[in-house]
């Protein structure tokens, strides 16, 4: 579950409600494409903007439509009290693992972040993925802190931010972190633009925004990068497939992957609205036109809402 | 209400509950010292960590113990939907004004922040203070955006981050912003260390963390800086009083004002516990000892919980 491809799904929503049928379709689409796990209530799933009840409901819908594909559930919140409540809810809803970022309002110290993971892992009975996302949490993990947290019970994987584009530097980054981790704790890349580089240079998993929208294409990249029972790994092919997505990666960098993924889902007919909680705004005008163009250059298979 | 001194009170709490009697004492203490307004549910009041029900209750307690001192209520949240709910609650609880920061998880664009203030001011019937706190929101206002938001209905004041320590640079900063604002929209300084400099170089108000703990001392600084019906303004005295607090300002910079204020309240006997929501941790060891020393150097009047 902590290797291969994890598809992080949007939570289709408007200001009043969650669009449960659209969520179910996104989950089924990714599961049918053969992703190794589903990431629900990640940053792409707008977890930070939802109430406890909404989060519980999103998980229930996702688990009931995921079939045999395991569901990772985001449990982050500003307050430890709330993280513990989300962890309990996620386990009760049938999540196979939880994902935790050190969300902050007051900037957190390393001791506070360690304490958060200590408090939460002490109460868990499923594995935990450490979610290192400085863009949204504004907390910068040191490798020493990652090493300390990885020793805690239930820690199974670390979701790391983008690696350098230079392949040698990417390999160095991943091997330096791996040297500090207990055996069996995997390293997964987020930052879709650098995923093919990371997967072909030592990363075990891809925690992917795009796979929530275009799962077949991302499965193809991942199988090429890591190999599979049916095919030997083929790094060049993985990198070439990813390079074709450069227009999308540029848009991710420019507008944030959530805004682009939300626009893409709407353009592809997977959702009926922009799916961004206000004050976040849907892309419009030239930005949206650029997403249309980027999607239009993909193979027809990937452009179908199926 | 948007000039002079606003005392931002802690919300005394532990993991289970809010200590309402301690909150009432803090509010009464500041009101009795003659502050011009009370800032409740600001960053110092840990608003971002509280449920809607807790926030409503904090305001009810504060308003009922504030006497004739007007209460500014923080209404910030990640989602516009929740900000609107907090605004309605605050007005119903008797807040005289609201305070709004563009809290973020996904980094916000300037258009999104303008849209937030547009949506919220459209629903208000009390004045609003724009809360510019890049340390907690990670959003950097431009002066152009401040100017646009200040044109919206109900906008009465801007709470700005620290000004430069150099007096001429501080005066330039404040006058540059003022030139862009409609008449009557005041500028208030946060960042207590630079408050005396700001107040003596053009700021209208001090939105103060320390005044929640040591209100008499902060009233003295403010009256010296701005003058009052009883005394001519005396900039040198304001700056000298503030300079005596340098050890506290250093601790604010090192640990964040909330952690220091929470420790000071406990040390002075104003609260019975550290009052920080986990994962935030109370200062201990040498950091706490430094707060004890900094408080010990103050006049006995300010060290009494009265």
């Amino acid at each position: 579950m902590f290797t291969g491809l994890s598809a992080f799904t949007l939570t289709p929503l408007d200001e009043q409600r969650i669009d449960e049928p659209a969520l179910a379709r996104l989950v089924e689409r990714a599961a049918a494409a053969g992703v190794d796990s589903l990431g629900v209530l990640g940053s792409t799933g707008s977890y930070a903007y939802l109430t406890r009840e909404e989060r519980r409901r999103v998980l229930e819908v996702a688990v009931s439509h995921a079939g045999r594909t395991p569901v990772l559930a985001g449990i982050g919140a500003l307050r430890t009290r709330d993280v513990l409540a989300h962890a309990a809810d996620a386990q009760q809803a049938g999540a196979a693992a939880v994902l935790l970022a050190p969300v902050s309002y007051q900037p957190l110290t390393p001791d506070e972040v360690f304490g958060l993971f200590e408090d939460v892992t002490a109460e868990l009975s499923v594995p935990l993925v450490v979610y290192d996302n400085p863009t949204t949490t504004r907390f910068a993990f040191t490798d020493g802190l990652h090493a300390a947290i990885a020793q805690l019970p239930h820690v199974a994987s670390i979701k790391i931010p983008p690696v350098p584009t230079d392949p040698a530097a990417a390999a160095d980054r991943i091997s330096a972190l791996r040297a500090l981790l207990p055996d069996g704790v995997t390293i997964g890349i987020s930052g879709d633009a650098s995923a093919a580089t990371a997967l072909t240079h030592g990363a075990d998993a891809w925690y992917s925004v795009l796979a929530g929208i275009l799962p077949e294409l991302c499965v193809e990249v991942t199988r090429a990068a890591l190999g599979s029972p049916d095919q030997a790994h083929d790094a060049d092919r993985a990198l070439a497939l990813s390079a074709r997505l450069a227009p999308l990666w540029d848009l991710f960098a420019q507008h944030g992957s959530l805004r682009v993924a939300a626009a893409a889902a709407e353009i592809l007919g997977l959702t009926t609205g922009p799916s961004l909680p206000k004050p976040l705004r849907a892309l419009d005008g030239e930005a949206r036109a650029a997403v249309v163009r980027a999607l239009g250059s993909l193979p027809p298979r990937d452009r179908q809402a199926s």
Side-chain angles (χ1 to χ4, degrees), chain A:
Chain A
M1 175 173 34
F2 307 109
T3 57
L5 179 65
S6 188
F8 276 66
T9 50
L10 287 167
T11 302
L13 53 79
D14 62 23
E15 291 306 290
Q16 281 74 49
R17 54 185 264 291
I18 289 163
D19 184 344
E20 297 185 5
L23 172 63
R25 283 196 302 275
L26 287 171
V27 165
E28 287 174 358
R29 173 181 166 91
V35 304
D36 300 290
S37 64
L38 286 153
V40 175
L41 298 176
S43 296
T44 306
S46 295
Y47 73 100
Y49 302 87
L50 304 180
T51 65
R52 181 175 179 183
E53 292 66 32
E54 287 171 329
R55 290 166 71 150
R56 199 154 41 194
R57 186 65 194 142
V58 166
L59 281 179
E60 288 167 359
V61 171
V63 168
S64 70
H65 289 268
R68 296 168 60 179
T69 309
V71 170
L72 314 180
I75 60 170
L78 287 171
R79 193 163 177 181
T80 301
R81 178 183 74 175
D82 299 328
V83 177
L84 292 171
H86 296 316
D89 291 347
Q91 292 175 98
Q92 193 169 18
V98 295
L99 175 77
L100 177 59
V103 184
S104 71
Y105 178 77
Q106 295 287 345
L108 296 174
T109 68
D111 280 353
E112 288 169 342
V113 170
F114 182 80
L116 168 67
F117 281 92
E118 200 175 27
D119 287 345
V120 173
T121 54
E123 303 289 331
L124 279 183
S125 51
V126 297
L128 177 139
V129 179
V130 176
Y131 186 8
D132 177 358
N133 185 347
T135 303
T136 57
T137 65
R138 289 78 172 201
F139 180 79
F141 280 89
T142 61
D143 283 1
L145 181 59
H146 271 312
I149 291 172
Q151 299 284 350
L152 292 169
H154 302 292
V155 175
S157 184
I158 304 176
K159 181 178 189 290
I160 64 169
V163 293
T165 46
D166 175 64
D172 285 352
R173 169 71 201 116
I174 294 167
S175 65
L177 179 58
R178 188 180 303 283
L180 299 172
L181 302 180
D183 282 351
V185 172
T186 71
I187 296 174
I189 184 74
S190 57
D192 287 359
S194 72
T197 301
L199 288 173
T200 54
H201 293 84
D204 307 292
W206 177 12
Y207 295 116
S208 172
V209 175
L210 191 67
I213 307 293
L214 302 174
E216 295 191 3
L217 182 57
C218 296
V219 166
E220 209 174 336
V221 172
T222 307
R223 298 285 175 267
L226 299 178
S228 72
D230 305 326
Q231 63 178 110
H233 75 93
D234 181 346
D236 289 345
R237 181 169 151 71
L239 293 165
L241 285 167
S242 175
R244 280 178 35 206
L245 299 168
L248 271 175
W249 307 148
D250 289 347
L251 290 165
F252 276 29
Q254 204 177 339
H255 302 293
S257 60
L258 173 60
R259 292 184 190 83
V260 177
E266 195 184 356
I267 291 162
L268 293 173
L270 300 168
T271 57
T272 55
S275 288
L276 294 172
K278 277 183 156 190
L280 301 182
R281 288 189 174 194
L283 298 184
D284 57 12
E286 173 47 31
R288 185 184 163 96
V291 180
V292 171
R293 284 196 301 276
L295 293 171
S297 70
L298 298 175
R301 177 202 68 189
D302 296 308
R303 282 183 270 138
Q304 280 161 18
S306 67

